[in-house]
Amino acid sequence: MASQEGGKVLLHLYKRLLRSSASYPSKNRWGIYESIREEFRENIHLDPNEDVTKKKIAVAYKGLSQLRMYEQHSLGGKENPNWSVTLEQNPMPKPPPKKE
């Protein structure tokens, strides 16, 4: 039961990430979208209770908060064309090297 609830939370996170990346104002928006899909597919088998997985989930939430800064309603809508976004100096940790 707990793993089903955890799975629902992660599915919700996944959908929110995809929606936010689809509206992200960048030429690479669809590259970001595809990398989110790929990352979730690669890690679908991980146990949500392991430390490594918890770190990945924390990074996903951090990325979501950064993507959401660029959504229209967060920027004041179309009525307010003057906006700014402030990011952290090192917002995302470097991923570990892939094992071959």
Side-chain angles (χ1 to χ4, degrees):
M1 181 80 141
S3 69
Q4 285 181 344
E5 291 174 11
K8 287 181 183 180
V9 170
L10 290 177
L11 181 61
H12 185 64
L13 171 62
Y14 174 68
K15 288 179 180 181
R16 286 175 27 201
L17 279 164
L18 290 178
R19 275 191 218 107
S20 293
S21 68
S23 63
Y24 182 68
S26 170
K27 289 190 236 179
N28 192 30
R29 139 184 350 143
W30 298 113
I32 295 168
Y33 185 93
E34 287 301 319
S35 68
I36 291 168
R37 290 180 69 195
E38 184 179 314
E39 183 84 17
F40 268 79
R41 285 182 184 149
E42 288 175 359
N43 296 307
I44 193 109
H45 66 282
L46 296 179
D47 179 8
N49 298 317
E50 291 182 9
D51 288 339
V52 173
T53 308
K54 287 179 182 180
K55 287 180 185 177
K56 288 181 181 261
I57 292 169
V59 169
Y61 275 111
K62 180 80 137 188
L64 177 62
S65 69
Q66 290 178 350
L67 284 170
R68 295 195 72 182
M69 286 192 286
Y70 293 96
E71 291 178 354
Q72 282 292 329
H73 67 274
S74 298
L75 299 174
K78 294 181 181 178
E79 307 84 39
N80 185 7
N82 302 319
W83 53 269
S84 66
V85 174
T86 306
L87 296 177
E88 297 176 27
Q89 289 295 327
N90 187 15
M92 302 298 241
K94 288 188 176 186
K98 292 190 175 187
K99 297 178 183 176
E100 293 184 32

